[in-house]
Amino acid sequence: MTRVAAIDCGTNSIRLLIADIDRSNGGTKLTDVVREMRVVRLGQGVDATGELAPEALERTLGATADYARLIKEHGAERIRFVATSASRDARNRDVFVDGVRELLGVEPEVISGDEEAALSFAGASSVLPVLDGQQVLVVDLGGGSTEFVLGTAAGVTAAKSVDIGCVRLTERHLRNDPPTAEQIAAAEADVDEAMARAGRDVPLERATAVVGVAGSVTTITAHALHLPEYSPHAIHGASLPIGDIRDAATDLLGMTRAGRAALPYMHPGRVDVIGAGGLVWRRILERMGELTGGKVAAATASEHDILDGIALSIG
């Protein structure tokens, strides 16, 4: 048994998983000790400026300091800190890297899109039976990037990371509240172009099932299920028809921010970007239905994702 600490620092949120890994009896079991999430918006303005904003760095390093205290309190033996899209894109990422190293005593890893994709697949596939006999496309819809990972129970077949995400598209296009038809069309064009790029590396048409991970997907699933509160138990493994997901995503996209904030399962840090998350998720699923000739008619949500993959890579 090994106690590990995994930190996933994305464009919108920073998350911590302290877990016990048991590799006895020929298998691998991950048992949560602590699982936390803070919305820090590290990627604030990165798409436009190419740099991490001072206030975003302050928020993120403040959360990292809190996580360092939890890691010490719970006696994690090994730590892995992974940073993704916003950190890859920022010219001044050294300031961020130095701050994390000072707080945690480990070197933060600014990983490639390909490694991000592989870790997302590992995390999702570790707990979902949907992989059995399927060619599964795992879609990790983040704040700055989205990963498309095709694989089977044997592992990853092909993967591609593209620069579309709920924070990036909100800042780039969806400036009105709610967004205009012209803004929506421009954002959808970005999604279509990104999917075309992904399709050159990943044979999307071969997928027989789709699994979506990360906060936008799980929040849209909560909306589609009309939950009275955010419930990971109800969301994880929920498989819904594409039409139901499209309706929920369209509803969120068309709401005002005040309307979204009133929803009982909406995290305050997602209020301004969930419309773009809905736009990306519905367009991906519409295209997957077309590309597979209707074979993909539903999508499954997973609460387990890159964070679990990071933890599993440590033990």
Side-chain angles (χ1 to χ4, degrees), residues 227-242:
L227 297 181
E229 61 184 5
Y230 191 93
S231 168
H233 179 74
I235 293 165
H236 181 67
S239 184
L240 297 172
I242 287 177

Side-chain angles (χ1 to χ4, degrees), residues 170-221:
T170 298
E171 291 184 350
R172 188 182 292 173
H173 297 299
L174 307 185
R175 299 187 182 93
N176 285 37
D177 181 26
T180 66
E182 291 77 14
Q183 290 169 352
I184 290 169
E188 285 182 335
D190 278 7
V191 178
D192 286 348
E193 193 274 333
M195 281 197 75
R197 275 188 284 120
R200 289 196 283 272
D201 293 303
V202 182
L204 301 172
E205 69 282 355
R206 294 185 192 172
T208 57
V210 174
V211 173
V213 303
S216 285
V217 170
T218 58
T219 302
I220 295 161
T221 302

Side-chain angles (χ1 to χ4, degrees), residues 51-65:
E51 293 194 348
L52 299 168
E55 58 269 33
L57 282 165
E58 183 178 355
R59 291 191 298 267
T60 305
L61 293 176
T64 302

Side-chain angles (χ1 to χ4, degrees), residues 121-286:
F121 188 87
S125 64
S126 67
V127 291
L128 280 177
V130 73
L131 278 180
D132 295 343
Q134 300 268 20
Q135 287 259 17
V136 179
L137 180 72
V138 172
V139 180
D140 184 346
L141 201 174
S145 65
T146 294
E147 284 65 52
F148 294 85
V149 198
L150 187 69
T152 66
V156 174
T157 304
K160 180 69 174 178
S161 178
V162 292
D163 284 341
I164 52 167
C166 59
V167 174
R168 194 181 296 269
L169 290 191
T170 298
E171 291 184 350
R172 188 182 292 173
H173 297 299
L174 307 185
R175 299 187 182 93
N176 285 37
D177 181 26
T180 66
E182 291 77 14
Q183 290 169 352
I184 290 169
E188 285 182 335
D190 278 7
V191 178
D192 286 348
E193 193 274 333
M195 281 197 75
R197 275 188 284 120
R200 289 196 283 272
D201 293 303
V202 182
L204 301 172
E205 69 282 355
R206 294 185 192 172
T208 57
V210 174
V211 173
V213 303
S216 285
V217 170
T218 58
T219 302
I220 295 161
T221 302
H223 191 58
L225 293 172
H226 307 290
L227 297 181
E229 61 184 5
Y230 191 93
S231 168
H233 179 74
I235 293 165
H236 181 67
S239 184
L240 297 172
I242 287 177
D244 290 359
I245 298 170
R246 181 181 60 238
D247 290 347
T250 301
D251 193 37
L252 288 167
L253 178 60
M255 282 185 177
T256 63
R257 292 177 180 175
R260 296 175 197 151
L263 297 171
Y265 35 78
M266 184 66 63
H267 189 287
R270 296 201 189 284
V271 168
D272 61 330
V273 296
I274 192 61
L279 182 150
V280 174
W281 190 219
R282 78 173 184 185
R283 189 60 189 145
I284 288 172
L285 292 178
E286 285 169 351

